[in-house]
Amino acid sequence: MTFDTLKNSLGRNHVTVVEVDMPACSLVYGNSPCTASVGVTGSTKCYNTFRTCQDTANYAATTNTFRFMTQNSSTPIGTNIFPCVVSVTSVPTKIDVNSLSTRATVKVVMTDFPHHDRGVDPYVNDRTFNPMEQGTFWGKFKARNFFFVGRTIRIKNGYVDPTGFDATFSTDFETREYVIESVDGVDSAGKVTFTAKDILTLANTDKAKAPIASIGKIAVAINDTATTIQLDTVSGYPTGGGLVRIGDELITYGSIGGSNLQTCVRGTNNTVAASHSIDDDVQLCLQYTAEDVRDIVDDLLVNYASVSPTYITRAIWDAESALDLYDLTTIITEPTGVNTLLQELTQQTNSNLWWDDRQQQIRLKPIATPLSTDVVKALNETNIIEKSVKVKDDRKSRLSRITIYFGTFDFTKNLDEVTNYRNKTVNIDADSESANEYGQIKDRVIFSRWIPTDAIANDLTSRMLIRLVNTPKAVTFEVDAKDGDISTGDIIYFSSREIQTATGETDTQLYIITEEKRIGNGERTKYSASEFNTGLSGVSPVAFLIADNAQVDYLSASALERSTYAFITNSSGLMSNGDDGYKIA
């Protein structure tokens, strides 16, 4: 049976499976092309891992998947799985509608145990020791493998299928994938602890920078007019030309000849040509010119953070038409954390970037008024666990004005200095600052190395103010596992008696799911959501007849900027509305 069927069944029995992918050698010890030989290359056979390999030149990498499950679960017959999982705790991805999403983290604790090595050691029958009497599973496993960091770990939550588990533990389970950060232990209590984060952790500043640090240095001193620059190495510099930084000067070169950068143009991009000395660093710059934000994010993740392209579904990214508004231009003159660049890009294109651990995909989505096809579910008191709703005003997110400095003058100078920008756009909502409304200024200042035009700056400030000029509500609530099919980043209709209209009716509004966390051994899901203030006020909605409990549809292109709406059911007439009441004609 499928996961969706089992989660709705009576007497469901929850089970967690942990999968760890470890590199291994596909060859057989001593069989060509492996040249290893007992007594020659080692005193015993290897364990088909790189750590124990005796012929690394012929090491043939493959992947072995090891499976572990919770100790209180029934071990499936005929599967090589170890019931040693003590606990799995996680901190989920959290979308920050004002910044980059936080990384999901998972911690898995497993107990150590004696083991016969069958199914783990390919040459167990050739050993001279009894593995049950020598060492323990995790003690030996860590010594033989060793290279855990960066490997994949999957957490599979599901329910015991009375008809039996499928061979890959996929049909019956909801899978979430992470990258291993560390493996600690075995400790004095006989426990080993895996700590892992989602795939976007590869973009963290300590792991990935763009551009990559260049290793070339000036080999012969130059004056401020030299058009040929000799380096101690030209490794890593494009032969067809590029842009480099030496000190505070940017220099373009047309080609490489021998160890020289040739046909150089000095003092480009508003920098000043200067003399440079032997051993001065020559840093290759990273340039983007009128490039789509999706292409930039893709490039940074794949080529600088080493994220596999399989985690990026460009068809889904490209379908987000609101991102078409943002063609960006910049020069990055020194190695900068990819995480820092991504945070700038999401803020300055009014978008979210996060790891969708259910779909195992990186999502890039603009913060724009959704179409009806984007709204995945309507939640109300019929499917929300009683007394689980909590509502608060997200006062920190509210803005009344936004100032953007853009048009960078000198990319080698401080990017947080007002004087380093040619242009400024200020967007103010005076009404919200008046004594009749909030009575205070809430300002955000953005220094943008990316925004090239006034049109883009104006669009960004307008969209951000539409969304944040009124204090958005933040809600948390819980649902049973059978209703836990919405994911982080999904758009929902949310209604609860804790949020009412001026007439005392239960209000229904759009919300974006910002966090999803399984609690109670997976039997419930706790969600956090942020109100979706995305439209312009004063635009009349369109009322129309739809079926009971159906979701509202938008009937015209103006819906992209509409904040008010109405939807009607056959049985109850007017079910909910935005600003005014509407009835069937």
Side-chain angles (χ1 to χ4, degrees), residues 281-452:
D281 290 330
V282 182
Q283 174 62 50
L284 183 67
C285 300
L286 177 60
Q287 299 181 80
Y288 296 106
T289 303
E291 291 200 38
D292 188 296
V293 62
R294 289 162 288 207
D295 293 333
I296 298 173
V297 173
D298 194 330
D299 181 53
L300 290 172
L301 289 174
V302 173
N303 296 318
Y304 295 94
S306 300
V307 171
S308 171
T310 60
Y311 296 123
I312 298 173
T313 304
R314 279 305 299 263
I316 296 177
W317 288 17
D318 294 342
E320 301 291 352
S321 58
L323 292 174
D324 294 338
L325 300 169
Y326 301 106
D327 284 342
L328 307 176
T329 296
T330 198
I331 301 172
I332 306 170
T333 67
E334 59 184 356
T336 304
V338 170
N339 197 58
T340 298
L341 298 174
L342 293 175
Q343 181 162 338
E344 294 175 0
L345 286 166
T346 52
Q347 182 194 56
Q348 295 167 31
T349 58
N350 205 36
S351 57
N352 288 321
L353 179 75
W354 77 97
W355 170 247
D356 185 338
D357 54 5
R358 288 203 192 196
Q359 300 300 321
Q360 298 180 53
Q361 291 290 320
I362 295 171
R363 300 284 302 279
L364 176 63
K365 190 176 180 68
I367 305 174
T369 302
L371 300 173
S372 62
T373 52
D374 295 324
V375 183
V376 300
K377 196 165 188 172
L379 288 176
N380 51 48
E381 292 174 355
T382 63
N383 45 23
I384 296 174
I385 293 176
E386 188 176 6
K387 298 182 179 180
S388 69
V389 176
K390 294 182 179 179
V391 183
K392 70 175 183 178
D393 292 335
D394 185 9
R395 296 182 182 87
K396 291 193 300 182
S397 292
R398 188 184 72 82
L399 296 174
S400 66
R401 61 177 64 188
I402 303 171
T403 303
I404 296 183
Y405 293 92
F406 64 99
T408 309
F409 183 76
D410 185 346
F411 288 97
T412 70
K413 301 300 184 184
N414 191 336
L415 297 177
D416 292 334
E417 289 289 340
V418 170
T419 55
N420 198 20
Y421 294 90
R422 296 186 183 89
N423 309 103
K424 177 178 71 173
T425 288
V426 183
N427 198 326
I428 301 173
D429 187 279
D431 288 342
S432 71
E433 295 180 355
S434 70
N436 290 328
E437 293 192 16
Y438 293 98
Q440 60 179 210
I441 294 173
K442 290 292 293 291
D443 190 15
R444 176 176 296 169
V445 177
I446 298 173
F447 298 97
S448 178
R449 72 172 98 200
W450 300 93
I451 294 176

Side-chain angles (χ1 to χ4, degrees), residues 164-212:
F165 291 99
D166 69 288
T168 60
F169 291 85
S170 57
T171 303
D172 306 334
F173 290 83
E174 181 184 73
T175 301
R176 300 171 189 263
E177 189 167 308
Y178 304 87
V179 175
I180 296 173
E181 289 266 293
S182 63
V183 181
D184 298 314
V186 180
D187 62 18
S188 59
K191 302 291 192 302
V192 62
T193 301
F194 283 72
T195 302
K197 293 185 178 180
D198 70 44
I199 300 301
L200 283 173
T201 190
L202 297 176
N204 284 358
T205 298
D206 61 341
K207 298 181 177 68
K209 288 183 171 63
I212 298 170

